[in-house]
Amino acid sequence: MKTDVLGVQYDNITMEEAIAAGRAFLTGTKAAYCVTPNAEMAYEAIHDENFRHVLNSADLVLPDGAGVVLGAKILKTPLKQKVAGIEFAQNMLHIYEELGSRLYLLGSKPGVAELAAQKMLEKHPNLKICGTADGYFKDEDEVIRRINEAGADALYVCLGAPKQEYFMFRHRNELNVRLMAGLGGTLDGIAGTVKRAPKWMIKLQLEWLYRLIKEPRRLGRMMRLPKFVFAAFKKRMKGD
Ligand code: UDP
């Protein structure tokens, strides 16, 4: 079941249900694609019709982040829960192991995908990772060719938004995969290349502030979160 949150049609599902959907796609016949829009991306989609179309055409739209869940609550159409992309990506590894599906990792700076693969294999020794490539390529056709040659069933596309969503949308008919997911900084997270905030900051729910201090250029993008919440309140007030 879909839930509209300011124009983005989210799947109103739990993590378990998302994994079951991912599993079903792996045994299907087409290249299904999954997007994980957080509030920043959803705010972008309010003003960008093309991006909204690409998000809403996805086979699975996961509410990544507390901001989206809050927005849905404000609009009186609550979502069951937050389903974070990175957690979905990690939970699906069990399924690939079970089904013998081959996973390809695309994105992030050179070396990161390989490191993430290593970390995944430490916990999932039976996982088949059939290839990796960094996200700073010029020739898209060459990348598609390599993914197909590797015989990938599942593909993680970690190029940042909206690049990764357009990539999946544009190439979904050429890619011989069954499930692909746009996952932002997931490979950095799994590889451990991006340092997490100190424990006291995480406890105070200030991880966002840590990231902002480390990368001040994120400010513009981060401001989309309060703007998204503001837009939700505005719509609710109009409706009441
Ligand atoms: N990235 C990439 N190719 C690009 C731009 C970004 O592979 O052309 C990667 C970047 O290295 C990072 C990930 O995309 O690992 C997510 O980037 P960012 O944190 O900027 O995006 P977010 O997920 O926060 O929107």
Side-chain angles (χ1 to χ4, degrees):
M1 225 204 22
K2 297 278 185 182
T3 294
D4 182 292
V5 185
L6 298 175
V8 175
Q9 308 289 323
Y10 282 95
D11 281 282
N12 185 14
I13 52 177
T14 62
M15 178 60 85
E16 285 69 31
E17 289 165 335
I19 294 163
R23 192 182 210 286
F25 290 136
L26 284 168
T27 54
T29 49
K30 65 161 188 172
Y33 76 100
C34 166
V35 294
T36 61
N38 58 19
E40 293 169 14
M41 287 161 66
Y43 184 75
E44 270 305 285
I46 295 175
H47 306 282
D48 185 337
E49 201 183 317
N50 289 334
F51 186 40
R52 197 163 66 234
H53 175 67
V54 169
L55 292 179
N56 288 339
S57 303
D59 300 275
L60 196 57
V61 184
L62 301 179
D64 180 314
V68 175
V69 174
L70 175 63
K73 200 170 163 189
I74 292 167
L75 291 163
K76 293 195 288 190
T77 49
L79 289 161
K80 286 182 188 169
Q81 62 169 232
K82 167 181 118 175
V83 183
I86 185 166
E87 283 163 28
F88 173 73
Q90 279 175 313
N91 289 333
M92 282 304 295
L93 300 180
H94 293 285
I95 309 293
Y96 308 142
E97 265 188 313
E98 185 195 321
L99 299 177
S101 306
R102 295 158 68 85
L103 174 65
Y104 196 103
L105 306 176
L106 171 67
S108 298
K109 300 212 171 86
V112 176
E114 289 77 4
L115 202 56
Q118 228 173 31
K119 297 270 167 157
M120 288 176 181
L121 288 168
E122 279 169 20
K123 282 198 189 142
H124 302 271
N126 297 322
L127 184 65
K128 290 182 191 142
I129 296 181
C130 63
T132 55
D134 71 73
Y136 296 86
F137 47 84
K138 292 224 168 63
D139 188 349
E140 283 201 355
D141 294 338
E142 168 73 13
V143 173
I144 307 293
R145 198 179 55 75
R146 277 210 260 158
I147 296 166
N148 283 338
E149 270 180 17
D153 302 297
L155 170 66
Y156 286 176
V157 188
C158 302
L159 307 172
K163 199 172 170 184
Q164 61 203 12
E165 287 77 21
Y166 282 111
F167 180 91
M168 294 190 291
F169 183 75
R170 253 199 322 269
H171 299 299
R172 66 196 187 290
N173 295 326
E174 303 151 66
L175 283 159
N176 292 326
V177 299
R178 292 289 165 266
L179 169 67
M180 48 188 161
L183 295 162
T186 288
L187 295 180
D188 293 305
I190 293 176
T193 43
V194 172
K195 251 181 89 180
R196 286 201 73 182
K199 279 204 181 90
W200 66 269
M201 284 186 102
I202 295 176
K203 235 185 201 162
L204 292 171
Q205 303 215 357
L206 290 176
E207 201 160 8
W208 61 272
L209 181 62
Y210 175 83
R211 287 193 82 181
L212 183 58
I213 292 166
K214 287 275 174 184
E215 286 178 79
R217 68 184 169 83
R218 298 184 81 93
L219 182 63
R221 201 161 52 169
M222 273 189 181
M223 283 311 288
R224 290 184 203 142
L225 172 63
K227 284 181 184 165
F228 174 80
V229 174
F230 185 79
F233 272 119
K234 209 164 131 187
K235 181 158 182 227
R236 160 105 182 238
M237 281 159 72
K238 262 193 203 153
D240 275 350

